[in-house]
Structure formats: structure tokens, C-alpha cells
Amino acid sequence: QVQLMESGGGLVQPGGSLRLSCAASESIFGLYQMGWYRQVSGKQREMVALIDSYGDTNYADSVKGRFTISRDSTKNTVFLQMNSLKPEDTGMYYCYMWRPRYGAAWGQGTQVTVSS
């Protein structure tokens, strides 16, 4: 099973920026989808941003225009640049990968807290 290693979370003031990284433990080939979900205590995990093997992206309405997902295929890494952060962006951010042969895989999560 692939391991997904997240980094980049932390505490930031409203209006600030953070960049999350997710590195896969193995080279990724063929059809796949990678990205980020977030979860707040007591609520369902929700999709934040996804990118697929074609480079197509999908964003939650709440983050459009503020967050950007990108990838470095040579390093099997996906990034989430988060700008103009709001307190409601606070949550545990989980890296996600899906491949048709292996199904879904999740990282351990990295905490993002937006507070003054």
C-alpha cells in the first residue's frame, strides 16, 4: 500500500498563506487522482482540491480563487497553496490518492489552524 506523507500545516493568521505538500512513497503511473480533503471535529470529511493524471483540477466552491493544487510528477508530490486563509479553513487536512487498481489511500493528516 502506498504511503502518503503530508507536511506544511500550522498556525496562521486570517489572510495568511500556507503550502501543504504530500509525497507518495512510490512512483505513480497511469490513471490516478490525488488531492486534499479536510475534516473538522464532528463533521464529515470534505473534498478541498483534487488533481488527476491528466492535470485536470477540481475545487470546493469555498476555496476557489484562494487555493491552488499542483503536482511535481518527478517527485510524486502534490502541493496545495492556500492563500487568503479564513478561520473556517481550520481543520485536519488529509492527503488522498485513488488508483483504479488499488482504490483509495489516505495520509495521516496535517493540522491547519487559522486564528488571530
Side-chain angles (χ1 to χ4, degrees), residues 6-28:
E6 301 122 329
S7 61
L11 172 65
V12 64
Q13 292 187 339
S17 297
L18 282 175
R19 189 189 195 212
L20 305 184
S21 299
C22 172
S25 60
E26 61 188 55
S27 297
I28 307 301

Side-chain angles (χ1 to χ4, degrees), residues 53-64:
S53 47
Y54 298 103
D56 293 333
T57 58
N58 188 25
Y59 295 93
D61 288 342
S62 60
V63 307
K64 285 180 181 177

